[in-house]
Structures are given as C-alpha cells and as structure tokens.
Amino acid sequence: MDRASSCSAFLPTMLTGVVHMSVRQPQLLSRRETPPVVFFRTVFLTHTASLMQYFSVGSFQRMKALTFGLTLVRHGETRYNKEGLLQGQAIDCPLSETGLQQAEAAGCYLKDVTFSCVFVSDMLRAQQTAATIMKRNSSCSALQMVRDPLLKEISFGVAEGGRLQDVKEMAKAAGQSFPGFTPPGGETQEQVKERVKEFMEKMLQQIGTEHDRWEDETSISAIPETSPVEGKADDGVRDIPIHALVVTHGAYMCVAVRYFVEELHCALPPGSDRAHMFSLSPNTGLCRFILTMRKEQDGFKVSRMSCVFIHRGDHVKQ
C-alpha cells in the first residue's frame, strides 16, 4: 500500500476515534483544559467531517487523461487566392488546377499518417482538399468526413470579392494589421474565436467519448522536440493512435493558433516565434499539435498542449 492509500485508510479511523472519545468521555478532554485547548478542540471537532472527506481515498486518485494529435490543414489554392482576392464566406470557389495539385501533394505527404477522425469546413474548397487527402490515406477509408460550419472561413463583410491588398491598406489606415482587421459587416476576431472554442469543445467531446485510452496524467511523457519547418510527416504522432485531421481556412487558422497560444498556453516548437506562429499559412500548409485532456464535471478540458510544427509546406515543394 502506498503512502496516499495508507493515509486515507488511517485518518478516518483516527478521527473517528477522537470524535468517539469526545462524545462518550468528555471528562477526559475537559480535565485541566486551558482556554486555548478548549478552542482548538472545538474547531477540530467542528471540522472533523470535512477533514475526513478531504482525506478520503477518492481525493488521492490520480487524474486520468487522454492524449491525441491534431493536424490543421489549410485548403488548396483557388482562383481567388491566385488573383489576390478575398473569398470569405460569400464566395464558395472550388480549387484551381494548382490547388488540386497541392491537395494531391498534401495527400501523398500524409498518406502513411494515421488519423482517427476528420473534420472539415462546409465550404467547397476545404471539402475538396479533405477528400483528396482522405483518398490517399488508407487509415481514412473507414472514416466519415464531418462537415462543420464552425470551421468555415472568416466573414470579411463588404470586402469579400475585393482585392486583398485593398483590405490590407484599410487595416493600415485604421492602425491595424491583416489578418486581424474587421471590414464593415465582417466577423470580429472575438466572434471567430468563439467559433474556434465551440468547435474545440465538440471535438473534445467526440474524442473523449469514443476512445478509452485514458491513463494517469503524471505518466504522460513530454512532447518530443521537432523542427518547426521540415521533418517527417508523422512527427509527434508516431506513438499516438488518436489523431484528428482538420481541414479549414487561412484566416480562421490564424485565430485558432492565437487562441491555442494565448489562452490554452500552447508550448511553441524550438526556433519558432510568435510572429511566425500567427502568420498566414500557405495553401495546404500544415500545423500539428499534441493535446492532453482530462474529464471534468462540466465536460472535457485541455490540460496541456504543445505545437510540433507550424505552417509546414515542404510537401508542396517536392
């Protein structure tokens, strides 16, 4: 029996004995007592029940946790991307010929990486990219693509269909940067962050209820250090069987990564900096994270998160 178990077994017995003595033999406790002793005894007996509950066996149980991988992929190039135009939500443009080739390259790069679930924006360019990656990957043959509007691109309001350069100039005139600037009628960064948070909660709920690979949180090993630019396709997830593929959009990914770093306290990979972390990922750029979550009374919560690599695009150069 370990120290925690022996303490939990001994303390209730000890405290019960003190209570019994105080109730059945008060004369033993009251003999030659000074006021401080009387005060201590009163406080001690008053909180006996709380102490017994605190030192119960349940309080010494180790926290159970589950670790999984998360790979974010930006969709392939569209005609609007090539021409420097904003699509947002109103323009549901398909992949260009270059975009289809990029999706094929991403699929070839990830073909031997094991995925256990696939989430994708409900916009056409993201679905085409996800379908191409899944077609190349044998672990995806039995998986269903989950289309989720929470993953759709940011709404750019009146700027959708216009030149990206024009929006950058609007942002500069307002003393802001792009991405991060909200054109009239568009979504604010806070509104998009709420979508990111809601999606994360849904994903944690699905993974947490579908898998039973829970282990003591203290026994989970540290995330291996990995190059932030180049490396192998399965970096960080070779020994992690639970792995989510999420195909979404560039500006949305910027908000998601910022949320991971600033609010979930995601550890950065060696050699990276925040400016690079929060920059726009290239078409079919890859970002990978390792998350550890625990089950709490109000749902599943992320307890630890690390970035394995960010905005990797070397598969397109091959």
Side-chain angles (χ1 to χ4, degrees), residues 77-152:
E77 182 198 79
T78 67
R79 178 177 63 84
Y80 277 71
N81 292 146
K82 183 177 181 179
E83 296 176 1
L85 304 175
L86 277 176
Q87 297 166 97
Q89 297 180 3
I91 300 173
D92 201 8
C93 188
L95 297 180
S96 64
E97 186 61 36
T98 298
L100 291 171
Q101 293 173 5
Q102 292 171 338
E104 285 285 347
C108 290
Y109 183 75
L110 295 170
K111 65 184 178 65
D112 296 322
V113 177
T114 301
F115 295 103
S116 54
C117 50
V118 179
F119 302 93
V120 60
S121 160
D122 62 352
M123 305 199 75
L124 178 59
R125 54 193 183 273
Q127 292 184 56
Q128 286 183 300
T129 304
T132 303
I133 293 173
M134 294 178 71
K135 181 179 65 176
R136 289 279 187 177
N137 190 295
S138 59
S139 70
C140 293
S141 60
L143 299 181
Q144 182 177 2
M145 181 193 301
V146 179
R147 299 171 179 83
D148 197 327
L150 291 172
L151 292 169
K152 68 167 66 251

Side-chain angles (χ1 to χ4, degrees), residues 105 108-109 231 313-318:
C108 290
Y109 183 75
D314 45 315
H315 55 282
V316 178
K317 303 172 186 177
Q318 294 175 354

Side-chain angles (χ1 to χ4, degrees), residues 9 21 31 64 80 91 93 95 127 130 133 142 147 167 169 182 190 208 222 245 249 280 293:
M21 180 175 67
R31 187 180 303 164
K64 294 294 185 180
Y80 277 71
I91 300 173
C93 188
L95 297 180
Q127 292 184 56
I133 293 173
R147 299 171 179 83
V167 179
E169 292 174 1
T182 304
E190 193 64 29
L245 172 65
H249 305 263
L280 191 68
M293 68 172 176

Side-chain angles (χ1 to χ4, degrees), residues 20-30:
H20 177 76
M21 180 175 67
S22 66
V23 175
R24 300 295 298 273
Q25 297 174 305
Q27 69 279 9
L28 297 179
L29 292 177
S30 61

Side-chain angles (χ1 to χ4, degrees), residues 227-241:
S227 167
V229 180
E230 296 183 358
K232 296 183 178 179
D234 61 351
D235 283 338
V237 293
R238 293 185 189 93
D239 300 318
I240 300 179

Side-chain angles (χ1 to χ4, degrees), residues 160-175:
E160 293 186 350
R163 294 196 313 153
L164 177 60
Q165 186 59 37
D166 292 340
V167 179
K168 289 182 177 180
E169 292 174 1
M170 290 171 60
K172 184 177 180 180

Side-chain angles (χ1 to χ4, degrees), residues 256-303:
V257 172
R258 183 176 290 274
Y259 169 67
F260 295 162
V261 173
E262 295 184 347
E263 298 195 27
L264 298 184
H265 309 293
C266 176
L268 306 186
S272 64
D273 55 55
R274 290 189 173 224
H276 177 64
M277 289 287 292
F278 301 154
S279 63
L280 191 68
S281 195
N283 287 115
T284 65
L286 310 172
C287 303
R288 179 166 297 155
F289 305 87
I290 306 299
L291 297 86
T292 299
M293 68 172 176
R294 64 165 68 108
K295 186 176 183 180
E296 298 183 356
Q297 290 184 345
D298 56 344
F300 297 94
K301 303 293 183 183
V302 175
S303 59

Side-chain angles (χ1 to χ4, degrees), residues 174-190:
Q176 300 180 36
S177 60
F178 182 88
F181 172 70
T182 304
E187 279 185 294
T188 66
Q189 297 291 291
E190 193 64 29

